[in-house]
């Protein structure tokens, strides 16, 4: 099973709402990633978890809060977002953190609209 | 950080035509991937190719690591090949800006 799943597929939220995005993989991968992709742009790295610990935070605003409850699951908690945070949020996983020969596998993404 | 440049930015083909997409990177890399992003946003792995040549059906890729470039070849293109093609140095989680391919029937 080489699949990364993400829920929900679409999310519309107001600026005062709190919501969460969920990502799951059952490939035994020990690195998981959140990316943000705006229209007609490449994905931009937000966070990396290695062995369930946050290893990279690309200076992401605190209104985005990642969580890795176990090796298969990655959440992104959203609070007090701005309309400019509307984007496609992609989750990815790779087998071994810190190894330069990793292959990343991506989920289908959550399309977020902030009103 | 590492720079990844892709060319051309846009490509329009007639069905059945062949094409070559290029990816240049600014530093030596140990991991490079090609992805196809479909119209629904899904990033599909095409190749993991830090060096050498690989083929998968109508697609093939070549990376010349010493000269810091990679090429993606698409032969006998089909309308389902349309979308955005990204190369990425996945060890640095850095993507190029992509090539948008449109294949017309």
């Amino acid at each position: 099973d080489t699949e990364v799943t993400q829920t929900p597929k679409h999310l519309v939220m107001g600026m005062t709402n709190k919501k969460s995005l969920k990502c799951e993989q059952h490939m035994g991968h020990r690195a998981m990633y959140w990316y943000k992709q705006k229209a007609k742009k490449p994905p931009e790295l937000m966070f990396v978890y290695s062995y369930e610990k946050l290893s990279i935070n690309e200076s992401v605003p605190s209104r985005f809060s990642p969580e890795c409850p176990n090796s298969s699951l990655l959440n992104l908690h959203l609070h007090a977002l701005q309309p400019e945070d509307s984007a496609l949020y992609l989750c990815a996983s790779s087998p071994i953190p810190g190894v330069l020969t990793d292959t990343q596998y991506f989920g289908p993404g959550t399309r977020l609209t902030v009103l | 950080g590492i720079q990844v440049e892709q060319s051309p930015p846009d490509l329009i083909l007639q069905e059945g035509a062949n094409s070559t997409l290029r990816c240049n990177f600014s530093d030596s890399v140990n991991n490079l991937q090609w992805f196809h992003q479909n119209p629904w946003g899904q990033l599909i792995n095409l190749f993991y190719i830090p060096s050498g040549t690989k083929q998968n059906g109508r697609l093939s890729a070549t990376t010349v690591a010493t000269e810091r470039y990679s090429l993606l070849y698409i032969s006998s293109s089909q309308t389902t090949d349309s979308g955005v093609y990204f190369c990425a140095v996945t060890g640095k989680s850095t993507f190029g800006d992509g090539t948008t391919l449109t294949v017309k029937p």
Side-chain angles (χ1 to χ4, degrees), chain B residues 26-68:
Chain B
S26 61
D27 204 350
S28 58
V29 299
N30 289 308
N31 42 23
L32 186 128
Q33 279 184 259
W34 282 97
F35 296 93
H36 174 214
Q37 188 164 41
N38 65 24
W40 297 272
Q42 172 81 60
L43 276 165
I44 300 162
N45 279 324
L46 296 178
F47 295 102
Y48 171 77
I49 186 162
S51 64
T53 297
K54 290 186 178 180
Q55 178 152 11
N56 184 3
R58 295 181 296 105
L59 273 59
S60 63
T62 295
T63 297
V64 183
T66 53
E67 297 187 23
R68 300 181 185 171

Side-chain angles (χ1 to χ4, degrees), chain A residues 40-103:
Chain A
K40 299 193 184 300
K41 294 290 187 183
E44 291 182 350
L45 183 67
M46 300 174 72
F47 302 104
V48 181
Y49 272 82
S50 299
Y51 297 104
E52 297 88 70
K53 293 191 187 309
L54 183 65
S55 60
I56 295 176
N57 176 343
E58 292 286 348
S59 303
V60 179
S62 60
R63 57 186 185 269
F64 295 91
S65 175
E67 178 196 20
C68 190
N70 59 56
S71 60
S72 300
L73 191 55
L74 185 66
N75 297 320
L76 186 62
H77 303 298
L78 314 172
H79 173 55
L81 295 193
Q82 303 297 308
E84 58 265 28
D85 296 321
S86 298
L88 180 68
Y89 288 84
L90 293 161
C91 174
S93 70
S94 63
I96 307 172
V99 174
L100 296 178
T101 56
D102 270 355
T103 299

Side-chain angles (χ1 to χ4, degrees), chain B residues 70-90:
Chain B
S70 183
L71 302 174
L72 178 69
Y73 305 97
I74 305 174
S75 64
S76 304
S77 57
Q78 301 175 357
T79 55
T80 51
D81 295 331
S82 296
V84 184
Y85 289 80
F86 288 106
C87 74
V89 177
T90 41

Side-chain angles (χ1 to χ4, degrees), chain A residues 7-14 17-22 76-78 81 85-87 89 109-115:
Chain A
T7 54
K9 286 189 171 62
H10 300 274
L11 179 62
V12 179
M13 60 187 290
N17 292 157
K18 285 185 182 181
K19 296 286 185 184
S20 296
L21 310 184
K22 179 180 169 182
L76 186 62
H77 303 298
L78 314 172
L81 295 193
D85 296 321
S86 298
Y89 288 84
T110 293
R111 204 164 289 278
L112 174 67
T113 302
V114 182
L115 300 176

Side-chain angles (χ1 to χ4, degrees), chain A residues 9-10 17 24-26 37 86 97 105 107:
Chain A
K9 286 189 171 62
H10 300 274
N17 292 157
E24 202 160 3
Q25 57 87 15
H26 296 286
Q37 187 178 22
S86 298
Y105 297 85

